[in-house]
Coordinates of all heavy atoms in Angstrom, one line a residue:
L42 N -23.5 17.3 -5.1 CA -22.6 17.8 -6.2 C -22.5 19.3 -6.2 O -21.4 19.8 -6.4 CB -23.2 17.3 -7.6 CG -22.4 17.7 -8.8 CD1 -21.0 17.2 -8.8 CD2 -23.1 17.2 -10.1
Q43 N -23.6 20.0 -6.1 CA -23.6 21.5 -6.1 C -22.7 22.0 -4.9 O -22.0 22.9 -5.0 CB -25.0 22.1 -6.0 CG -24.9 23.6 -6.1 CD -24.2 24.1 -7.4 OE1 -24.6 23.7 -8.5 NE2 -23.2 24.9 -7.2
L44 N -22.9 21.4 -3.7 CA -22.1 21.8 -2.6 C -20.6 21.6 -2.9 O -19.8 22.5 -2.6 CB -22.5 20.9 -1.3 CG -21.5 21.2 -0.1 CD1 -21.6 22.6 0.4 CD2 -21.9 20.2 1.0
F45 N -20.2 20.4 -3.4 CA -18.8 20.1 -3.7 C -18.2 21.1 -4.7 O -17.1 21.6 -4.5 CB -18.6 18.7 -4.1 CG -18.8 17.7 -3.0 CD1 -18.9 16.3 -3.4 CD2 -18.8 18.0 -1.7 CE1 -19.0 15.4 -2.4 CE2 -19.0 17.1 -0.7 CZ -19.1 15.7 -1.0
I46 N -19.0 21.4 -5.7 CA -18.6 22.4 -6.7 C -18.4 23.8 -6.0 O -17.4 24.5 -6.3 CB -19.5 22.5 -7.9 CG1 -19.5 21.2 -8.7 CG2 -19.3 23.7 -8.8 CD1 -20.6 21.1 -9.8
T47 N -19.3 24.2 -5.2 CA -19.2 25.4 -4.5 C -17.9 25.4 -3.6 O -17.2 26.4 -3.6 CB -20.4 25.7 -3.6 OG1 -21.6 25.8 -4.5 CG2 -20.3 26.9 -2.8
L48 N -17.6 24.3 -2.9 CA -16.5 24.3 -2.1 C -15.2 24.4 -2.9 O -14.2 25.0 -2.4 CB -16.5 23.0 -1.2 CG -17.6 22.9 -0.2 CD1 -17.6 21.6 0.6 CD2 -17.6 24.1 0.8
I49 N -15.1 23.8 -4.0 CA -14.0 23.8 -4.9 C -13.8 25.2 -5.4 O -12.6 25.8 -5.5 CB -14.1 22.8 -6.1 CG1 -13.9 21.4 -5.6 CG2 -13.1 23.1 -7.2 CD1 -14.3 20.3 -6.6
E50 N -14.9 25.9 -5.8 CA -14.8 27.2 -6.5 C -14.7 28.4 -5.5 O -14.2 29.4 -5.9 CB -16.0 27.4 -7.4 CG -16.0 26.4 -8.6 CD -17.2 26.6 -9.5 OE1 -18.1 27.3 -9.1 OE2 -17.2 25.9 -10.5
S51 N -15.2 28.3 -4.3 CA -15.2 29.4 -3.4 C -13.9 29.5 -2.6 O -13.3 28.6 -2.1 CB -16.4 29.2 -2.4 OG -16.3 30.2 -1.4
D52 N -13.5 30.8 -2.4 CA -12.4 31.1 -1.5 C -12.7 30.7 -0.1 O -11.8 30.6 0.7 CB -12.0 32.6 -1.6 CG -11.3 32.9 -2.9 OD1 -10.8 32.0 -3.6 OD2 -11.4 34.1 -3.3
N53 N -14.0 30.6 0.2 CA -14.4 30.3 1.6 C -14.7 28.8 1.8 O -15.2 28.4 2.8 CB -15.6 31.2 2.0 CG -15.2 32.6 2.1 OD1 -14.1 33.0 2.5 ND2 -16.2 33.5 1.7
G54 N -14.5 28.0 0.8 CA -14.8 26.6 0.9 C -13.5 25.8 0.8 O -12.5 26.2 0.3
L55 N -13.6 24.6 1.4 CA -12.5 23.6 1.4 C -13.1 22.2 1.1 O -14.1 21.8 1.7 CB -11.8 23.6 2.8 CG -10.7 22.5 3.0 CD1 -9.5 23.0 2.2 CD2 -10.4 22.3 4.4
L56 N -12.4 21.6 0.2 CA -12.7 20.2 -0.1 C -11.3 19.5 -0.3 O -10.7 19.7 -1.4 CB -13.6 20.1 -1.3 CG -14.2 18.7 -1.6 CD1 -14.9 18.1 -0.4 CD2 -15.1 18.7 -2.8
L57 N -10.9 18.8 0.7 CA -9.6 18.1 0.6 C -9.9 16.6 0.4 O -10.9 16.1 1.0 CB -8.8 18.2 1.9 CG -8.2 19.6 2.2 CD1 -7.5 19.5 3.5 CD2 -7.3 20.1 1.1
V58 N -9.1 15.9 -0.4 CA -9.2 14.5 -0.5 C -7.9 13.8 0.0 O -6.9 14.4 0.0 CB -9.5 14.1 -2.0 CG1 -10.8 14.6 -2.5 CG2 -8.3 14.5 -2.9
A59 N -8.1 12.6 0.4 CA -7.0 11.7 0.8 C -7.0 10.7 -0.4 O -7.9 10.0 -0.7 CB -7.3 11.0 2.1
E60 N -5.8 10.6 -1.0 CA -5.6 9.8 -2.2 C -4.5 8.8 -1.9 O -3.4 9.1 -1.5 CB -5.3 10.6 -3.4 CG -5.2 9.8 -4.7 CD -4.9 10.7 -5.9 OE1 -3.9 11.4 -5.9 OE2 -5.8 10.7 -6.8
R61 N -4.8 7.5 -2.1 CA -3.8 6.4 -1.9 C -3.8 5.5 -3.1 O -4.9 5.1 -3.6 CB -4.2 5.6 -0.7 CG -3.2 4.5 -0.3 CD -3.6 3.8 0.9 NE -3.7 4.7 2.1 CZ -4.6 4.5 3.1 NH1 -5.4 3.4 3.1 NH2 -4.6 5.4 4.1
D62 N -2.6 5.3 -3.7 CA -2.5 4.5 -4.9 C -3.5 4.9 -6.0 O -4.2 4.1 -6.6 CB -2.7 3.0 -4.6 CG -1.7 2.5 -3.5 OD1 -0.6 2.9 -3.6 OD2 -2.1 1.6 -2.7
D63 N -3.5 6.2 -6.2 CA -4.3 6.8 -7.3 C -5.8 6.7 -7.1 O -6.6 6.8 -8.0 CB -4.0 6.3 -8.7 CG -2.5 6.6 -9.0 OD1 -2.1 7.8 -8.8 OD2 -1.8 5.8 -9.6
T64 N -6.2 6.4 -5.8 CA -7.6 6.2 -5.5 C -8.0 7.1 -4.3 O -7.3 7.1 -3.3 CB -8.0 4.8 -5.1 OG1 -7.6 3.9 -6.2 CG2 -9.4 4.6 -4.8
V65 N -9.1 7.9 -4.5 CA -9.5 8.8 -3.4 C -10.2 7.9 -2.4 O -11.1 7.1 -2.7 CB -10.5 9.9 -3.9 CG1 -11.1 10.6 -2.7 CG2 -9.7 10.8 -4.8
V66 N -9.7 7.9 -1.1 CA -10.2 7.0 0.0 C -10.9 7.8 1.1 O -11.5 7.2 2.0 CB -9.1 6.2 0.5 CG1 -8.5 5.3 -0.6 CG2 -8.0 7.0 1.2
G67 N -10.9 9.1 1.0 CA -11.5 9.9 2.1 C -11.5 11.4 1.7 O -10.9 11.8 0.7
A68 N -12.2 12.2 2.5 CA -12.3 13.6 2.3 C -12.7 14.4 3.5 O -13.2 13.8 4.5 CB -13.3 13.9 1.1
V69 N -12.5 15.7 3.5 CA -13.0 16.6 4.4 C -13.6 17.8 3.7 O -13.0 18.2 2.7 CB -12.0 17.1 5.5 CG1 -10.8 17.8 4.9 CG2 -12.6 18.0 6.5
A70 N -14.8 18.2 4.1 CA -15.5 19.3 3.4 C -15.8 20.4 4.5 O -16.2 20.0 5.6 CB -16.8 18.9 2.8
A71 N -15.5 21.6 4.2 CA -15.7 22.7 5.2 C -16.0 24.0 4.5 O -15.7 24.2 3.3 CB -14.5 22.8 6.0
M72 N -16.5 25.0 5.3 CA -16.8 26.3 4.9 C -16.4 27.3 6.0 O -16.4 26.9 7.2 CB -18.3 26.4 4.6 CG -18.7 27.8 3.9 SD -18.0 28.0 2.3 CE -19.4 27.4 1.3
I73 N -16.0 28.5 5.6 CA -15.6 29.5 6.6 C -16.4 30.8 6.3 O -16.7 31.1 5.2 CB -14.1 29.7 6.5 CG1 -13.6 30.5 7.7 CG2 -13.7 30.4 5.2 CD1 -12.1 30.4 7.9
G74 N -16.8 31.5 7.4 CA -17.5 32.7 7.2 C -17.7 33.4 8.6 O -17.3 32.8 9.6
Q75 N -18.4 34.5 8.6 CA -18.7 35.2 9.8 C -19.7 34.5 10.6 O -20.7 33.9 10.1 CB -19.2 36.6 9.5 CG -18.1 37.5 8.9 CD -18.6 38.9 8.7 OE1 -19.8 39.2 8.7 NE2 -17.7 39.9 8.5
H76 N -19.5 34.5 11.9 CA -20.5 33.9 12.8 C -21.8 34.7 12.7 O -21.8 35.9 12.4 CB -20.0 33.9 14.3 CG -20.7 33.0 15.2 ND1 -21.9 33.4 15.7 CD2 -20.4 31.8 15.7 CE1 -22.3 32.4 16.5 NE2 -21.4 31.4 16.5
W77 N -22.9 34.1 13.0 CA -24.2 34.8 12.8 C -24.4 36.0 13.7 O -25.1 36.9 13.4 CB -25.3 33.8 12.9 CG -25.6 33.3 14.3 CD1 -25.0 32.2 14.9 CD2 -26.5 33.8 15.3 NE1 -25.5 32.0 16.1 CE2 -26.4 33.0 16.4 CE3 -27.3 34.9 15.3 CZ2 -27.1 33.2 17.6 CZ3 -28.1 35.1 16.5 CH2 -28.0 34.3 17.6
F78 N -23.7 36.0 14.9 CA -23.9 37.2 15.8 C -22.6 38.0 15.9 O -22.5 38.9 16.7 CB -24.4 36.8 17.2 CG -23.4 35.9 18.0 CD1 -22.2 36.4 18.4 CD2 -23.8 34.6 18.2 CE1 -21.4 35.6 19.2 CE2 -22.9 33.8 19.0 CZ -21.7 34.3 19.5
S79 N -21.6 37.8 15.0 CA -20.4 38.4 15.2 C -19.7 38.6 13.8 O -20.1 37.9 12.8 CB -19.4 37.6 16.0 OG -18.1 38.1 16.1
E80 N -18.8 39.5 13.7 CA -18.0 39.6 12.5 C -16.8 38.7 12.5 O -16.0 38.7 11.6 CB -17.6 41.1 12.2 CG -18.9 41.9 12.0 CD -18.7 43.2 11.4 OE1 -17.6 43.4 10.8 OE2 -19.6 44.1 11.6
D81 N -16.6 38.0 13.6 CA -15.5 37.0 13.7 C -15.7 35.9 12.8 O -16.8 35.5 12.5 CB -15.4 36.5 15.2 CG -14.8 37.5 16.1 OD1 -13.9 38.3 15.7 OD2 -15.3 37.6 17.3
I82 N -14.6 35.3 12.3 CA -14.6 34.3 11.3 C -14.6 32.9 12.0 O -13.8 32.6 12.9 CB -13.3 34.4 10.4 CG1 -13.3 35.8 9.7 CG2 -13.3 33.3 9.3 CD1 -14.5 36.1 8.8
V83 N -15.5 32.0 11.5 CA -15.7 30.7 12.1 C -15.6 29.7 11.0 O -16.2 29.9 9.9 CB -17.0 30.6 12.8 CG1 -17.2 29.2 13.4 CG2 -17.1 31.6 14.0
A84 N -14.8 28.6 11.2 CA -14.7 27.5 10.3 C -15.6 26.4 10.8 O -15.5 26.0 12.0 CB -13.3 27.1 10.1
N85 N -16.4 25.8 9.9 CA -17.2 24.6 10.2 C -17.0 23.6 9.2 O -17.1 23.9 8.0 CB -18.7 25.0 10.3 CG -19.0 25.9 11.4 OD1 -19.0 25.5 12.6 ND2 -19.3 27.2 11.1
E86 N -16.9 22.3 9.6 CA -16.8 21.2 8.6 C -18.1 20.6 8.4 O -19.0 20.6 9.3 CB -15.7 20.2 9.1 CG -15.9 19.6 10.4 CD -16.9 18.5 10.6 OE1 -17.2 17.8 9.6 OE2 -17.5 18.4 11.7
Y87 N -18.3 20.2 7.1 CA -19.6 19.5 6.8 C -19.4 18.0 7.1 O -20.3 17.3 7.4 CB -19.9 19.6 5.3 CG -20.3 21.0 4.9 CD1 -19.5 21.9 4.2 CD2 -21.6 21.4 5.2 CE1 -19.9 23.1 3.9 CE2 -22.1 22.6 4.8 CZ -21.2 23.5 4.1 OH -21.7 24.7 3.8
G88 N -18.2 17.5 7.0 CA -17.9 16.1 7.2 C -16.5 15.7 7.0 O -15.8 16.3 6.2
V89 N -16.0 14.7 7.7 CA -14.7 14.1 7.6 C -15.1 12.6 7.4 O -15.8 12.0 8.3 CB -13.8 14.3 8.8 CG1 -12.5 13.5 8.5 CG2 -13.6 15.7 9.1
F90 N -14.7 12.0 6.3 CA -15.1 10.6 6.1 C -14.0 9.8 5.4 O -13.4 10.4 4.4 CB -16.3 10.5 5.3 CG -16.9 9.1 5.2 CD1 -17.5 8.5 6.3 CD2 -16.7 8.3 4.0 CE1 -18.0 7.2 6.2 CE2 -17.2 7.1 3.9 CZ -17.9 6.5 5.0
I91 N -13.7 8.7 5.8 CA -12.7 7.8 5.2 C -13.5 6.4 5.0 O -14.2 5.9 5.8 CB -11.5 7.5 6.1 CG1 -10.8 8.9 6.4 CG2 -10.5 6.5 5.5 CD1 -9.9 8.8 7.6
L92 N -13.3 5.9 3.8 CA -13.9 4.6 3.5 C -13.5 3.6 4.5 O -12.3 3.5 4.9 CB -13.6 4.2 2.0 CG -14.1 5.1 0.9 CD1 -13.5 4.7 -0.4 CD2 -15.7 4.9 0.9
P93 N -14.4 2.7 4.9 CA -14.1 1.8 6.0 C -12.9 0.9 5.8 O -12.1 0.7 6.8 CB -15.4 0.9 6.0 CG -16.5 1.8 5.5 CD -15.8 2.6 4.5
Q94 N -12.6 0.5 4.6 CA -11.5 -0.4 4.4 C -10.1 0.4 4.4 O -9.1 -0.2 4.4 CB -11.6 -1.1 3.0 CG -11.6 -0.2 1.8 CD -13.0 0.3 1.4 OE1 -13.9 0.4 2.2 NE2 -13.2 0.5 0.1
H95 N -10.2 1.7 4.6 CA -8.9 2.5 4.6 C -8.8 3.2 6.0 O -7.9 4.1 6.1 CB -9.0 3.6 3.5 CG -8.9 2.9 2.2 ND1 -7.8 2.4 1.6 CD2 -9.9 2.7 1.3 CE1 -8.1 1.9 0.4 NE2 -9.4 2.1 0.2
R96 N -9.6 2.8 7.0 CA -9.5 3.4 8.3 C -8.4 2.7 9.1 O -7.9 1.7 8.8 CB -10.8 3.3 9.0 CG -11.9 4.1 8.4 CD -13.2 3.9 9.0 NE -14.3 4.6 8.3 CZ -15.6 4.3 8.3 NH1 -16.0 3.4 9.2 NH2 -16.4 5.0 7.6
G97 N -8.0 3.4 10.2 CA -7.1 2.8 11.2 C -5.7 3.4 11.1 O -4.9 3.1 12.0
G98 N -5.4 4.2 10.1 CA -4.1 4.8 10.0 C -4.2 6.2 10.4 O -5.0 6.6 11.2
M99 N -3.4 7.0 9.8 CA -3.3 8.5 10.1 C -4.0 9.3 9.1 O -4.0 10.6 9.2 CB -1.8 8.9 10.1 CG -1.0 8.2 11.2 SD -1.7 8.6 12.9 CE -1.4 10.4 12.9
T100 N -4.8 8.7 8.2 CA -5.5 9.5 7.2 C -6.4 10.5 7.8 O -6.5 11.7 7.4 CB -6.2 8.6 6.2 OG1 -5.2 7.7 5.6 CG2 -6.8 9.4 5.1
G101 N -7.2 10.1 8.7 CA -8.2 11.0 9.4 C -7.5 12.1 10.1 O -7.9 13.3 9.9
A102 N -6.5 11.8 10.8 CA -5.7 12.9 11.4 C -5.1 13.9 10.4 O -5.2 15.1 10.7 CB -4.6 12.3 12.3
R103 N -4.6 13.4 9.3 CA -4.0 14.3 8.3 C -5.1 15.1 7.6 O -4.9 16.3 7.4 CB -3.3 13.4 7.3 CG -2.0 12.8 7.9 CD -1.2 11.9 7.0 NE -0.7 12.8 5.9 CZ -0.5 12.4 4.7 NH1 -0.7 11.2 4.4 NH2 0.0 13.2 3.8
L104 N -6.3 14.6 7.4 CA -7.4 15.4 6.9 C -7.8 16.5 7.8 O -8.0 17.6 7.4 CB -8.6 14.5 6.5 CG -8.5 13.7 5.2 CD1 -9.6 12.6 5.2 CD2 -8.5 14.6 4.0
V105 N -7.9 16.1 9.1 CA -8.3 17.1 10.1 C -7.3 18.2 10.2 O -7.6 19.4 10.3 CB -8.6 16.4 11.5 CG1 -8.8 17.5 12.6 CG2 -9.8 15.6 11.4
R106 N -6.0 17.8 10.3 CA -4.9 18.8 10.3 C -4.9 19.7 9.1 O -4.7 20.9 9.2 CB -3.6 18.1 10.4 CG -3.3 17.6 11.8 CD -1.8 17.1 11.9 NE -1.6 16.3 13.1 CZ -1.3 15.1 13.1 NH1 -1.1 14.4 12.0 NH2 -1.1 14.5 14.3
G107 N -5.2 19.2 7.9 CA -5.3 20.0 6.7 C -6.4 21.0 6.9 O -6.3 22.2 6.5
Y108 N -7.6 20.6 7.4 CA -8.7 21.5 7.6 C -8.3 22.6 8.6 O -8.6 23.8 8.4 CB -9.9 20.7 8.1 CG -11.0 21.5 8.8 CD1 -11.7 22.5 8.2 CD2 -11.3 21.3 10.2 CE1 -12.7 23.2 8.8 CE2 -12.2 22.0 10.8 CZ -12.9 23.0 10.2 OH -13.9 23.7 10.8
I109 N -7.7 22.2 9.7 CA -7.3 23.2 10.7 C -6.3 24.2 10.2 O -6.4 25.4 10.4 CB -6.8 22.5 12.0 CG1 -7.9 21.7 12.7 CG2 -6.1 23.5 13.0 CD1 -7.5 20.8 13.8
E110 N -5.3 23.7 9.5 CA -4.3 24.6 8.9 C -5.0 25.6 7.9 O -4.6 26.8 7.9 CB -3.2 23.8 8.2 CG -2.3 23.1 9.1 CD -1.4 22.0 8.4 OE1 -1.2 22.1 7.2 OE2 -0.9 21.1 9.1
W111 N -5.9 25.1 7.1 CA -6.6 26.0 6.1 C -7.4 27.0 6.8 O -7.3 28.2 6.5 CB -7.5 25.1 5.2 CG -8.5 25.9 4.4 CD1 -8.3 26.5 3.2 CD2 -9.9 26.1 4.8 NE1 -9.4 27.1 2.8 CE2 -10.4 26.9 3.7 CE3 -10.7 25.8 5.8 CZ2 -11.7 27.3 3.7 CZ3 -12.0 26.2 5.8 CH2 -12.5 26.9 4.8
A112 N -8.1 26.6 7.9 CA -8.9 27.6 8.7 C -8.0 28.7 9.3 O -8.4 29.8 9.3 CB -9.7 26.8 9.7
K113 N -6.9 28.3 9.8 CA -6.0 29.3 10.4 C -5.5 30.2 9.3 O -5.4 31.4 9.6 CB -4.8 28.6 11.1 CG -5.2 27.9 12.4 CD -4.0 27.2 13.0 CE -4.4 26.5 14.3 NZ -3.2 25.8 14.9
T114 N -5.1 29.7 8.1 CA -4.6 30.6 7.1 C -5.7 31.6 6.6 O -5.4 32.7 6.1 CB -4.1 29.9 5.9 OG1 -5.2 29.2 5.2 CG2 -3.0 29.0 6.2
K115 N -7.0 31.2 6.8 CA -8.1 32.1 6.5 C -8.5 33.0 7.6 O -9.4 33.8 7.5 CB -9.4 31.2 6.1 CG -9.2 30.4 4.9 CD -9.2 31.3 3.7 CE -9.3 30.6 2.4 NZ -9.3 31.6 1.2
G116 N -7.8 33.0 8.7 CA -8.0 33.9 9.8 C -9.2 33.5 10.7 O -9.7 34.4 11.4
A117 N -9.5 32.2 10.8 CA -10.6 31.8 11.7 C -10.3 32.1 13.1 O -9.2 31.8 13.6 CB -10.8 30.3 11.5
N118 N -11.3 32.7 13.8 CA -11.2 32.9 15.2 C -11.7 31.7 16.0 O -11.4 31.6 17.2 CB -12.1 34.1 15.6 CG -11.7 35.4 14.9 OD1 -12.2 35.7 13.8 ND2 -10.7 36.1 15.5
M119 N -12.4 30.9 15.3 CA -13.0 29.6 15.9 C -13.0 28.6 14.8 O -13.4 28.8 13.7 CB -14.4 29.9 16.4 CG -15.1 28.8 17.1 SD -16.8 29.3 17.6 CE -16.4 30.4 19.0
I120 N -12.5 27.4 15.2 CA -12.5 26.2 14.2 C -13.2 25.1 14.9 O -12.8 24.6 16.0 CB -11.0 25.8 13.9 CG1 -10.2 27.0 13.4 CG2 -11.0 24.7 12.9 CD1 -8.7 26.8 13.3

Side-chain angles (χ1 to χ4, degrees):
L42 178 62
Q43 185 55 58
L44 172 65
F45 288 168
I46 290 169
T47 298
L48 295 177
I49 289 171
E50 294 178 351
S51 173
D52 287 339
N53 293 326
L55 175 73
L56 189 56
L57 293 178
V58 297
E60 184 176 59
R61 185 178 301 148
D62 299 325
D63 298 319
T64 302
V65 174
V66 299
V69 59
M72 186 65 95
I73 195 164
Q75 291 183 344
H76 197 282
W77 70 272
F78 64 68
S79 172
E80 297 196 20
D81 287 322
I82 303 299
V83 177
N85 291 289
E86 53 81 28
Y87 288 104
V89 179
F90 188 75
I91 300 163
L92 292 170
Q94 64 271 30
H95 296 281
R96 294 177 187 159
M99 293 302 296
T100 303
R103 292 181 64 210
L104 283 168
V105 169
R106 284 189 191 116
Y108 160 63
I109 292 170
E110 290 168 18
W111 168 81
K113 287 179 178 178
T114 66
K115 292 291 190 177
N118 302 90
M119 184 179 286
I120 303 168

